[in-house]
Amino acid sequence: MTLPPILSERLRLPAVASPMFIVSGPDLVIAQSRAGIVGSFPSLNARPQSQLREWLVRINEDLAKHDADNPDQLSAPYAVNLIVHKSNNRLEEDLATLVDFQVPIVITSLGARPDVNAAVHSYGGIVLHDVINNVFARKAVERGADGLIAVAAGAGGHAGAQSPFALVQEIRAWFDGPLLLSGAIAHGRSILAAQAAGADLAYIGSAFIPTDEANAVPGYKQMIIDSTAADIVYSNLFTGVHGNYLRNSIAAAGMDPDNLGQSDPSRMDFGTGDTLGEGAKPWRDIWGSGQGIGASTAVTPVADVVDRLAREYADAKARLRQL
């Protein structure tokens, strides 16, 4: 299936930047879109809710100015992530704001609702829904999602446990629509590998944490640089849903990364509550990360990260031609 123009035109690389809780804000989204990949942020990062409108005004105005000044290098579109879960008491208000601004791409997580999809479709937007298995993928498409984000093992934040090869293979057996792949993608050759496996685009998050524009504290950025895949812990303790986190941030919060308990999914939390004791909060103090962080070696501007990915992607293509 041919990708919709919004996911194929104006992209320097076949990549979408994943929305990261706390980390992704206007600075990061603008830099990502200017660099030629889809930038994104979770609506819940804008607090209070009224700030969401302010962020959208700023992003739209900044990208419009960039396009006017750079007609030969137009910015990529941007996306906003909605948590479609009963614990999100802002969903209806945030959705109404996105409809008002006609946000071009909406990424939905932790639930698929036909009414949310219909609202985005009402103005011509598209919905991409993230899933961790084939069962959830089928439900999302049945309820009106336009595309899927396969969140495989090794992805940062709320990640699945399935191999990217298995997950993409099962989805592609019946779905020929837009498919993105997430899971330790932090190198240009991994973007090409995602396409070879059957995905249309790569979904990249952790590689953008150690950037100048990311809303992450210096210690978080440095820990990404100093860590490798061996330093990632998979646990559901912190939010009620399994996710990948930096081992040293868990230890710094006074817990043993090798002896974490289990959490009831009904306790799902988005960083607003104190579920860890001693004042520690998920995401603010327990830092999410994917397994691909070994590719990050310094704090740099977003543009430099995208430049590196583009070079590596081109080199990987050239190598395959030789083979």
Side-chain angles (χ1 to χ4, degrees), residues 121-201:
H121 293 157
S122 70
Y123 60 83
I126 67 168
V127 177
L128 304 175
H129 187 72
D130 64 24
V131 299
I132 61 171
N133 60 45
N134 195 37
V135 173
F136 290 150
R138 287 185 179 276
K139 288 181 179 179
V141 173
E142 289 169 0
R143 295 174 183 176
D146 302 290
L148 298 169
I149 303 167
V151 185
H158 290 141
Q162 293 185 356
S163 160
F165 296 119
L167 185 53
V168 171
Q169 172 184 284
E170 292 187 359
I171 292 173
R172 274 298 185 222
W174 59 272
F175 181 67
D176 66 351
L179 178 60
L180 287 66
L181 178 61
S182 171
I185 298 177
H187 193 283
R189 60 173 166 259
S190 300
I191 299 174
L192 186 60
Q195 291 182 302
D200 298 298
L201 303 113

Side-chain angles (χ1 to χ4, degrees), residues 17 20 22-35 37-41 45 51 54-60 62-63 78 208-209 211-216 221 300-303 306:
M20 296 178 284
I22 298 179
V23 173
S24 302
D27 289 343
L28 187 58
V29 171
I30 290 168
Q32 290 165 336
S33 294
R34 282 180 172 183
I37 67 171
V38 176
S40 73
F41 71 94
N45 279 5
Q51 191 176 62
E54 298 171 9
W55 283 15
L56 292 173
V57 167
R58 182 185 165 201
I59 291 169
N60 284 331
D62 194 294
L63 294 181
Y78 69 93
F208 292 107
I209 297 174
T211 59
D212 295 335
E213 297 88 349
N215 183 36
K221 296 180 182 182
T300 64
V302 163
V306 176

